[in-house]
Amino acid sequence: MSKLEDIVSLCKRRGFIFPGSDVYGGMAGTWDFGPLGVMLKKNIMDTWWHYFVETRDDMYGIDAAIIMNPKTWVASGHAATFADPLVECKECKSRFRADKIADGITESVTTDEFLALHVKCPTCGKENWGPIRKFNMMFTTHVGAVLPEDTKDNPELAEKNIAYLRPETAQGIFTNYKNVVDTIYPNLPFGLAQQGKAFRNEISPRDFILRDRECSQMEIEYFVAPDTWEENFEKMRSLQHDFLENVIGLPAKNIHELDVPKEDRAHYSKRTIDFMFDYPNGEEELMGLAYRTDFDLSNIERESGKSMEYRDKTTKEAFIPHVIEPSIGVERLFLAVLSNAYTEDEIDGEKRVVLKLPKALAPYKFCVSPLLKNKPELVDKAKEVYDKLRQKYTFVTWDDSGNIGKRYRKQDEIGTPECVVIDFDTLEDGTVTVRDRDTTKQKRVKIEKL
Ligand code: GAP
């Protein structure tokens, strides 16, 4: 099994991630987070929020609706340009994203350029392609009490009712920029941060949770004076490294910056750096840092007729701020964290799997258990210790299943940094064994010191 397959298997075995709609045979491009996955995901999201919002004076939060006025996507350019190159094999009818089945081409590939590469169909092996067509990745939905028969002979009504599931959380920030400026009068530069779901009808979802049709993003739109964009871009760039490496614990050697060339950049960007990560299946984009200029606010101003200008509090000068945007997918960060933590080693001749998660991210920090579960005096004492810790902390778990060795293996696999074991000495001297996940070393600690 490849390392990615091992991680997928661990995620299912231990309740981190299940295939979406598993019981009905799945739903491509969707994944469900189980009890352990929810805890890890929440820790990752809370850590990001704490670092980028709660500990800073220049950042504020937003939680906007997923379904937005369709004008949003006209102004943002998504209605016209948020499309991938779709190609169909005329032999077996399989459909692919053209730039993902051939090397050296980008999303802007033309039919002629693609045909010149003589790509074989990954499904049937033949070379008989239809033209490249642009496939818009936004999911559509219908809003309001309109029945399909109402719109059958009335395309205008059908059109009027269409709405989109947001393909990026960013627009919920841009559309609230004016509300925030008019209500809390922030000083420039300031950032608005949002965490939430985003939806993309990906042609080929793949690599476990790396490319999903429903994902969660954590985005910041950082509003700056136009002539300061470069210095703020650099500040944001080093903040991202600090967060990924020193807070989340990803090794710097596994993170590579890719200065995205003009032809590969999103339509709104004048500069983009993709932060690539060495995932088990190869290097892939973990996050992006983009200079979006005043593209979004200017378009909103045009579409809405409302001024998006910011008036400087001292100079009184009015201008539309420019924007630096760091954007990261929660699932991609989750997979990077898991890939980095997943370790197979050998302890006393026995192979084990261990998730060496940073303590702050681990779903549980402690597991409390009695050495033997058939000794009521040990179970009672262990319960007493557990209840005491549980009153103070949410991240303590109880385990009295199987024997102590099996419990250690299970806690290692879910990344619990320390196991607290109550044994006969505890009854004598009030100390417990604390066993370290990574070294498996044990020490004795007074209960009051836990
Ligand atoms: N607002 C800018 C934006 O959305 P993007 O490069 O399209 O830019 C930003 O997406 C980040 O969102 C990516 O770097 C990635 O981490 C995550 N992401 C995008 N599409 C994804 C997908 N289909 N599945 C999982 N994560 C995705």
Side-chain angles (χ1 to χ4, degrees):
M1 281 214 297
S2 70
K3 183 169 173 187
L4 185 63
E5 285 167 338
D6 287 333
I7 291 173
V8 175
S9 157
L10 171 76
C11 281
K12 182 146 193 199
R13 191 167 72 242
R14 291 301 183 193
F16 282 91
I17 299 178
F18 308 117
S21 316
D22 202 11
V23 74
Y24 293 115
M27 175 85 187
T30 68
W31 298 91
D32 295 342
F33 286 79
L36 272 291
V38 166
M39 285 191 266
L40 177 53
K41 184 179 176 188
K42 191 168 180 309
N43 289 343
I44 289 173
M45 293 175 78
D46 288 351
T47 303
W48 184 91
W49 193 260
H50 185 67
Y51 182 87
F52 285 108
V53 184
E54 288 171 348
T55 54
R56 297 182 61 103
D57 292 332
D58 58 347
M59 298 279 194
Y60 307 90
I62 281 284
D63 188 8
I66 287 174
I67 298 175
M68 303 177 69
N69 187 313
K71 281 184 188 168
T72 308
W73 309 111
V74 176
S76 71
H78 284 80
T81 62
F82 193 58
D84 276 343
L86 174 72
V87 68
E88 184 179 288
C89 169
K90 288 205 249 173
E91 298 288 334
C92 69
K93 307 290 174 221
S94 298
R95 290 179 170 192
F96 303 95
R97 213 179 120 169
D99 58 327
K100 293 291 168 200
I101 56 169
D103 289 333
I105 53 172
T106 67
E107 288 158 20
S108 53
V109 62
T110 63
T111 301
D112 287 346
E113 283 163 356
F114 182 74
L115 294 181
L117 295 170
H118 298 291
V119 178
K120 300 265 183 287
C121 170
T123 309
C124 69
K126 305 249 172 63
E127 190 196 325
N128 186 7
W129 298 106
I132 301 243
R133 288 178 291 167
K134 284 286 174 194
F135 175 73
N136 193 300
M137 289 194 291
M138 284 199 293
F139 278 101
T140 52
T141 186
H142 300 270
V143 174
V146 176
L147 297 165
E149 56 261 39
D150 299 336
T151 58
K152 220 168 71 197
D153 302 316
N154 191 345
E156 243 172 60
L157 182 63
E159 184 70 26
K160 240 171 84 182
N161 272 276
I162 283 180
Y164 301 92
L165 302 188
R166 66 180 179 202
E168 61 169 9
T169 60
Q171 294 305 323
I173 298 179
F174 288 121
T175 49
N176 277 291
Y177 152 86
K178 189 172 162 50
N179 286 335
V180 173
V181 169
D182 290 350
T183 49
I184 63 168
Y185 317 109
N187 285 325
L188 214 65
F190 71 93
L192 296 180
Q194 175 163 229
Q195 300 182 328
K197 292 271 185 179
F199 303 83
R200 298 177 180 196
N201 196 0
E202 296 281 354
I203 297 170
S204 325
R206 63 181 171 86
D207 288 338
F208 190 30
I209 53 172
L210 199 77
R211 190 169 293 284
D212 312 318
R213 291 194 167 126
E214 177 178 335
C215 66
S216 299
Q217 288 184 319
M218 303 190 283
E219 301 200 294
I220 296 168
E221 307 308 323
Y222 198 66
F223 300 94
V224 305
D227 57 350
T228 64
W229 80 265
E230 274 165 310
E231 66 194 74
N232 281 301
F233 189 92
E234 287 310 316
K235 272 188 203 155
M236 211 41 96
R237 182 182 185 172
S238 52
L239 275 181
Q240 305 312 310
H241 280 289
D242 184 48
F243 173 71
L244 295 173
E245 292 154 26
N246 303 326
V247 181
I248 293 291
L250 299 179
K253 68 174 168 51
N254 296 134
I255 298 169
H256 315 282
E257 285 192 2
L258 174 73
D259 224 319
V260 182
K262 188 166 184 263
E263 60 276 16
D264 292 350
R265 288 201 292 263
H267 57 279
Y268 49 71
S269 173
K270 265 216 170 133
R271 182 163 188 213
T272 297
I273 291 180
D274 281 345
F275 286 60
M276 311 297 285
F277 183 75
D278 294 323
Y279 287 99
N281 278 10
E283 193 180 298
E284 291 280 354
E285 179 187 325
L286 165 62
M287 62 160 294
L289 176 67
Y291 168 43
R292 288 181 82 130
T293 67
D294 60 350
F295 177 87
D296 300 274
L297 291 183
S298 293
N299 288 346
I300 292 174
E301 181 170 283
R302 199 191 56 239
E303 282 292 322
S304 68
K306 302 206 171 88
S307 169
M308 293 294 130
E309 279 186 344
Y310 178 91
R311 189 168 292 280
D312 189 284
K313 287 177 187 167
T314 25
T315 64
K316 306 291 178 219
E317 189 197 348
F319 54 87
I320 295 184
H322 282 215
V323 170
I324 310 296
E325 178 200 63
S327 169
I328 187 161
V330 176
E331 289 76 7
R332 294 210 184 164
L333 187 52
F334 191 107
L335 188 56
V337 166
L338 277 188
S339 316
N340 185 45
Y342 184 94
T343 313
E344 288 176 10
D345 61 12
E346 218 174 284
I347 300 296
D348 300 330
E350 202 192 324
K351 285 206 164 84
R352 70 163 183 163
V353 169
V354 52
L355 275 191
K356 295 188 174 178
L357 293 169
K359 209 177 232 178
L361 300 184
Y364 297 115
K365 322 296 181 208
F366 290 108
C367 171
V368 179
S369 60
L371 180 65
L372 300 168
K373 64 177 179 182
N374 57 358
K375 295 285 173 199
E377 63 273 38
L378 295 187
V379 176
D380 288 350
K381 189 70 188 168
K383 269 273 173 220
E384 189 188 309
V385 173
Y386 171 73
D387 287 342
K388 231 184 214 166
L389 288 171
R390 195 71 177 82
Q391 275 168 20
K392 262 185 128 174
Y393 307 112
T394 53
F395 46 65
V396 187
T397 185
W398 168 265
D399 193 356
D400 61 1
S401 61
N403 61 35
I404 191 72
K406 282 212 173 102
R407 280 178 235 158
Y408 284 157
R409 291 297 94 88
K410 176 178 161 194
Q411 296 303 322
D412 288 346
E413 284 201 1
I414 64 172
T416 309
E418 284 171 315
C419 285
V420 174
V421 179
I422 280 70
D423 55 22
F424 291 106
D425 286 346
T426 314
L427 306 178
E428 299 290 317
D429 61 10
T431 63
V432 294
T433 299
V434 177
R435 182 245 189 205
D436 181 88
R437 174 196 68 195
D438 298 347
T439 62
T440 74
K441 292 235 158 59
Q442 304 189 356
K443 59 182 179 195
R444 297 228 42 111
V445 175
K446 281 260 177 213
I447 291 172
E448 311 82 76
K449 297 263 178 197
L450 282 174

